[in-house]
Amino acid sequence: QLFGTQEVLPRIGKALVNPDGDGLISIFGPGGAGKTTLAYEAVKQFAGDGGFTRVAWVSAKLSHLRDLGVIETSRHTRTGWLDMIAEVAEQLDVRVDLHPARLEESLANALQSSIEIARPCLIVIDNLESAPDAQLAVDFLTRSPVLRPHKVVLTTRNSARLIAPTVREFAWHGLDSDAVREFAAYLAADTSGFELDDLDVDELISMSGGIPLLVKVAVRLAVHTSQPLRTVIDQVRNPGGELGSLVGQFLYEQSMTALAASAGVGDDNAIGLMNSFCARPDGESLNLEDFFELSLIADRAQFERARTTAHKLALIRGVDGNRRFTIHPLLRDFVCRG
Amino acid sequence: MSAEMAGDGASPSWAARLRAGRRERYWKTSTMLLLRDMEDLKGRELRGKIKDLIFWCDSSVADPEVIDAELFADFVDGMCRVVGNYGVIDGVAVEPALRRIIDLQESRRDTTTKLWLTLARFRSMISLEDDRREEALNAALESAPVGSALWAESVLAKAWYLNDISRYGDALRIVGRLRQAIPQELYDGYYACGADTMAGVALFTSFRDLGAARQKLTRACTFSKEADDDVQLRRWTATAHHYLGRIAEVDRDYPEALARYVQGHALQTRCPEELQSIAFIHLRMSEPLIALGYFDEAEDHLRTAAQVCSDYADYSSGRLQVQLGFATLDVAKGRTGFALQTIDATRNEARAIGYWRGELLCLGYKCAVLLRTRSVLRLVPVLLDIIMTMRGGELGRGNAARLLLRLPTVLGVAVRRMSFRPSRPLQPATTTGCPCRVHTPADAVAAGGPSA
């Protein structure tokens, strides 16, 4: 369920379904604001009305390759970009020449064939987190005849208008106060005895800055530890009593403590469980068997207990009907780069 | 509150404890899972793993203390195969990663042979003829005790490299050293397969002694039973069958050539996926089929080869050779003009991506087609084109001498098609079609059809 998108979602939908409208649509905003969720909902609600017969969804996440200072960055970005183009072709079931020198042109030509023009597709390039990533995508999309009747949706951290004046942009900075209030009430609704008063919600709005993950983790932590929400938020204040820039980190620390303290989990299992996600790139999910092995938890029952508790604490997410598991990018940063 | 401390301010933060939890066992588990995936997955699923592999390589290098060097060499070797198969565009992280691990191993006085071999394999993806590939192979040879299994593997890897760069005499010499230096039992029981395969390839490709080449390759194929349980032996025997097929083609024993290619294909598909090898087998199968007049079957194999080539980022001549295979089919069908158009288009494509060897290969083919159709006058501009290509290509980079030395080899591919030097008496062609499983399903074989 989405919160706070009543105004922006129909506008994105209108841009998607208009065949004469802009072919390149961008949703931009800070990390963790929920751009991916917004794009997903827009595609789910409007792709059919827009006449799109197929959707390709690729997660860019090219910037993780740039962590090591010794590695020449631009070439790596390029590598990731071309792999992504190949992935788009694969998802659309379009045959392309995979030679690096011909790949971009090959996809552009394929999408402009009469067969493909008759079957418009929607391409979502999610998580273009840095300016060079966005530049690569926009350069290709605006230079080549990829668009029309097809459309492309980008999610980026920064406005793409400077690099592509023709892009149709939608800013999304996360939940506003009313949306935080609604979301928190929704998260707490099924928990008997757990109350949220106005002061709790005001504190939550102030603490989270509208980042849905922080709202979710704080409420789930309060529910799991049976503490008032204000107590949880007090614990993540800095020594000066302020909610500083490290509030997310402090909140995750508290959640890890709660996970380790849960019955049948313990420190080692909590560490092993969360470290599993550092073995694969940002944005990847793990199947249950690999998750179990990577967690280094010896006993399957213990692993299941740890996994269930981490899920309740919003530290991990189940996808594909809980057959695969993943972690929010902000949490992954905390776990794997801390 | 410090980022490194949390809660009571005295215990390490969870972030620090999480970091400390990623040690040897964690690294080994993740690496083993990726090795398993590289072994088990094929096609799209395997291609989807490339991102994970490169990520893990980068992560491993960032924390070399937790790495098991032997396992890392296996991992990088597998990664090179997958990346080489599907083509991540460059592997800029791989070489520094390997060199860091080699330095680490040397500082610990641990073995580095496997790592050097992996580095050589990685360099071969970038260019077959590569100084750093040769340096890595030499380092592998120096790092392994003479006569050991690792040394034998280094010798055979070097022999493969020498064959790749057309130094066939050197390849034969180094393979000869192998026989003398390793224990007889080890040689006879295992490495004779690789040695005979490498020697057979050298003898055939240099056109020195086809009879001796056949003898060695046939001997390599006697390891077929042992190859059931050993990937390396399967690779060698698959290669041996492939080259026996090529010798049979030279002898115009096309049924035998087809039978060998089918056997090579069956072995190759039981190795971890190597798309380039599979594409080449289909290309080779088209050649005897064209010679026998089975044009539809030949076209099927050419199309399969083209499809496999388009599934990976092809740096080699595979893709171009497939297009030239279509030109050969056109010539056989009497559509010479169309064939020449295909050759010209292929040449332009080679030029567009700066692949000078491919361009020369096309010109060599064009020469062969024009000679075959006795269009001698039209040969002159083609020969001039060859000279111009040299000027714009290697000559411009100051490698004229090397190019001129290689030219006969490149042109030899075309010339060999036209030449006919049987290594044994001709056999009558008695095949009734293509014996592969697509054109002759197993039930047809059981009913008395061609053998697969």
Side-chain angles (χ1 to χ4, degrees):
Chain A
Q1 190 170 341
L2 286 185
F3 297 91
T5 59
Q6 301 89 332
E7 189 266 332
V8 71
L9 195 56
R11 287 200 295 127
I12 298 172
K14 200 172 165 187
L16 275 177
V17 300
N18 179 2
D20 300 319
D22 299 300
L24 185 56
I25 294 162
S26 160
I27 300 170
F28 77 94
K35 301 183 291 291
T36 299
T37 309
L38 184 59
Y40 179 81
E41 196 61 26
V43 170
K44 196 172 89 175
Q45 287 191 23
F46 300 104
D49 292 345
F52 299 106
T53 57
R54 293 156 297 163
V55 176
W57 185 296
V58 288
S59 180
K61 292 286 180 197
L62 308 177
S63 35
H64 76 267
L65 292 166
R66 283 196 289 275
D67 289 348
L68 296 174
V70 292
I71 292 166
E72 189 187 336
T73 58
S74 59
R75 294 181 70 199
H76 250 322
T77 308
R78 183 92 194 139
T79 302
W81 165 246
L82 290 180
D83 281 341
M84 210 166 63
I85 289 274
E87 200 178 328
V88 167
E90 198 167 295
Q91 288 188 26
L92 295 177
D93 203 18
V94 171
R95 282 203 79 83
V96 290
D97 181 343
L98 289 176
H99 192 288
R102 296 185 287 258
L103 183 53
E104 284 186 340
E105 184 193 351
S106 171
L107 177 65
N109 290 341
L111 289 178
Q112 287 306 306
S113 70
S114 52
I115 295 172
E116 298 304 334
I117 282 177
R119 304 188 306 156
C121 60
L122 180 59
I123 300 168
V124 183
I125 304 177
D126 191 21
N127 295 316
L128 283 163
E129 294 191 349
S130 73
D133 296 348
Q135 181 85 52
L136 267 174
V138 167
D139 280 353
F140 168 64
L141 294 166
T142 53
R143 185 192 66 219
S144 314
V146 169
L147 307 178
R148 289 199 193 283
H150 316 293
K151 290 198 185 223
V152 179
V153 175
L154 309 174
T155 72
T156 65
R157 287 210 174 173
N158 304 298
S159 167
R161 185 150 291 158
L162 284 176
I163 47 177
T166 56
V167 69
R168 179 71 190 276
E169 286 205 315
F170 297 91
W172 176 249
H173 296 291
L175 307 177
D176 61 18
S177 300
D178 287 344
V180 170
R181 192 181 305 275
E182 283 175 45
F183 187 31
Y186 169 81
L187 289 167
D190 294 338
T191 312
S192 61
F194 188 81
E195 301 286 335
L196 283 173
D197 61 26
D198 284 349
L199 205 56
D200 280 328
V201 175
D202 288 344
E203 288 277 282
L204 190 59
I205 291 167
S206 168
M207 184 277 293
S208 69
I211 302 296
L213 176 71
L214 296 184
V215 175
K216 193 171 179 180
V217 171
V219 173
R220 290 283 177 83
L221 184 58
V223 169
H224 183 80
T225 56
S226 305
Q227 296 180 91
L229 186 59
R230 260 171 291 174
T231 307
V232 167
I233 295 174
D234 280 346
Q235 286 166 354
V236 298
R237 291 180 188 281
N238 67 23
E242 294 159 344
L243 292 164
S245 60
L246 293 176
V247 65
Q249 196 171 332
F250 296 160
L251 194 55
Y252 307 146
E253 289 273 350
Q254 296 295 331
S255 294
M256 283 299 297
T257 301
L259 173 63
S262 297
V265 179
D267 288 9
D268 288 347
N269 288 354
I271 288 169
L273 189 88
M274 297 308 291
N275 267 340
S276 303
F277 296 97
C278 306
R280 299 295 175 264
D282 198 354
E284 292 283 294
S285 60
L286 297 170
N287 67 41
L288 195 56
E289 288 311 310
D290 286 2
F291 189 13
F292 172 53
E293 287 203 43
L294 283 168
S295 74
L296 308 180
I297 299 175
D299 178 78
R300 187 70 187 229
Q302 282 182 28
F303 166 76
E304 289 299 338
R305 269 197 295 276
R307 181 181 68 76
T308 309
T309 311
H311 198 267
K312 281 182 186 162
L313 283 163
L315 289 172
I316 65 171
R317 294 187 292 192
V319 291
D320 192 19
N322 272 359
R323 280 191 288 268
R324 303 188 69 85
F325 295 87
T326 185
I327 182 172
H328 192 284
L330 294 179
L331 255 168
R332 189 182 182 283
D333 270 358
F334 163 76
V335 172
C336 305
R337 297 184 188 180
Chain B
M1 191 170 359
S2 148
E4 286 294 303
M5 310 299 282
D8 57 11
S11 59
S13 70
W14 278 104
R17 294 168 71 190
L18 284 158
R19 190 167 56 238
R22 297 193 286 272
R23 303 304 301 165
E24 287 83 354
R25 198 172 141 228
Y26 162 82
W27 182 86
K28 194 172 178 180
T29 304
S30 175
T31 307
M32 296 288 284
L33 285 175
L34 289 170
L35 278 166
R36 177 206 63 191
D37 288 344
M38 284 191 267
E39 189 76 22
D40 293 349
L41 301 180
K42 287 187 189 298
R44 289 178 174 191
E45 278 187 306
L46 186 53
R47 188 160 74 193
K49 278 281 161 194
I50 289 176
K51 199 161 48 171
D52 292 10
L53 301 177
I54 291 185
F55 168 80
W56 192 240
C57 186
D58 283 358
S59 303
S60 301
V61 178
D63 196 5
E65 289 296 326
V66 303
I67 289 174
D68 173 320
E70 286 281 299
L71 192 59
F72 188 63
D74 286 345
F75 168 76
V76 176
D77 195 44
M79 185 178 86
C80 289
R81 175 180 63 81
V82 176
V83 166
N85 239 352
Y86 291 101
V88 159
I89 289 70
D90 65 65
V92 72
V94 175
E95 192 163 350
L98 278 166
R99 289 194 181 274
R100 276 177 76 171
I101 305 300
I102 288 169
D103 288 346
L104 185 72
Q105 285 294 93
E106 282 176 344
S107 72
R108 291 169 171 171
R109 298 184 182 281
D110 282 337
T111 177
T112 54
T113 309
K114 213 167 176 180
L115 290 160
W116 285 116
L117 288 174
T118 303
L119 180 55
R121 184 180 167 92
F122 169 71
R123 293 300 310 178
S124 75
M125 280 167 40
I126 295 167
S127 168
L128 289 181
E129 190 165 2
D130 177 73
D131 289 343
R132 274 145 74 185
R133 180 182 176 195
E134 186 165 6
E135 281 168 23
L137 287 166
N138 291 340
L141 278 167
E142 283 167 21
S143 67
V146 174
S148 65
L150 274 175
W151 181 82
E153 282 177 30
S154 307
V155 167
L156 290 169
K158 179 82 183 273
W160 198 299
Y161 165 73
L162 293 168
N163 277 335
D164 274 349
I165 62 167
S166 315
R167 280 166 52 189
Y168 305 112
D170 290 341
L172 290 168
R173 267 189 291 280
I174 197 168
V175 166
R177 270 187 72 199
L178 181 67
R179 181 167 203 165
Q180 292 158 7
I182 68 171
Q184 191 69 31
E185 200 177 326
L186 184 60
Y187 182 85
D188 289 342
Y190 194 83
Y191 289 105
C193 180
D196 282 334
T197 300
M198 291 305 122
V201 170
L203 287 166
F204 167 76
T205 316
S206 62
F207 248 49
R208 287 186 184 198
D209 185 342
L210 294 190
R214 181 190 298 106
Q215 193 183 31
K216 287 187 179 296
L217 293 166
T218 305
R219 209 161 52 202
C221 290
T222 61
F223 281 83
S224 294
K225 195 175 170 193
E226 290 86 342
D228 256 355
D229 305 318
D230 188 288
V231 170
Q232 181 64 275
L233 287 175
R234 275 204 293 279
R235 282 202 177 104
W236 286 327
T237 48
T239 305
H241 278 295
H242 183 142
Y243 277 86
L244 280 169
R246 296 185 69 181
I247 292 173
E249 265 198 84
V250 170
D251 288 341
R252 299 195 179 175
D253 184 354
Y254 301 122
E256 168 69 6
L258 284 166
R260 289 292 182 182
Y261 292 144
V262 167
Q263 288 175 70
H265 181 259
L267 287 162
Q268 189 65 54
T269 50
R270 288 183 55 218
C271 296
E273 189 183 52
E274 287 179 338
L275 293 172
Q276 195 178 343
S277 301
I278 291 168
F280 266 101
I281 292 177
H282 283 287
L283 170 64
R284 296 289 172 234
M285 289 185 77
S286 73
E287 292 164 357
L289 288 169
I290 291 171
L292 289 166
Y294 294 113
F295 295 153
D296 289 345
E297 288 89 340
E299 190 167 342
D300 286 345
H301 283 288
L302 282 170
R303 286 193 190 287
T304 306
Q307 189 173 325
V308 175
C309 280
S310 74
D311 279 343
Y312 65 98
D314 177 27
Y315 291 90
S316 75
S317 62
R319 178 193 160 88
L320 298 181
Q321 287 204 45
V322 171
Q323 284 173 268
L324 295 175
F326 279 110
T328 306
L329 181 61
D330 284 330
V331 172
K333 287 177 171 175
R335 303 191 305 190
T336 308
F338 201 67
L340 289 170
Q341 277 178 25
T342 304
I343 294 170
D344 285 341
T346 309
R347 181 192 164 197
N348 288 339
E349 199 175 323
R351 177 180 281 179
I353 61 169
Y355 181 42
W356 68 271
R357 275 175 186 266
E359 203 179 343
L360 276 179
L361 186 64
C362 293
L363 290 166
Y365 255 74
K366 197 166 180 178
C367 280
V369 172
L370 292 173
L371 279 170
R372 185 172 172 160
T373 54
R374 295 180 171 76
S375 310
V376 180
L377 283 178
R378 291 173 67 188
L379 267 175
V380 177
V382 180
L383 293 171
L384 282 174
D385 270 353
I386 289 176
I387 293 166
M388 294 302 287
T389 305
M390 289 157 56
R391 283 177 60 82
E394 283 292 278
L395 198 63
R397 293 194 284 275
N399 287 325
R402 180 178 286 180
L403 175 69
L404 288 168
L405 284 171
R406 297 286 170 269
L407 192 56
T409 310
V410 177
L411 291 175
V413 174
V415 172
R416 199 173 300 135
R417 290 284 180 83
M418 301 164 55
S419 64
F420 181 46
R421 286 193 287 156
S423 62
R424 62 181 181 188
L426 286 177
Q427 301 294 318
T430 54
T431 189
T432 54
C434 177
C436 77
R437 293 223 172 265
V438 172
H439 294 122
T440 310
D443 49 353
V445 175
S451 61

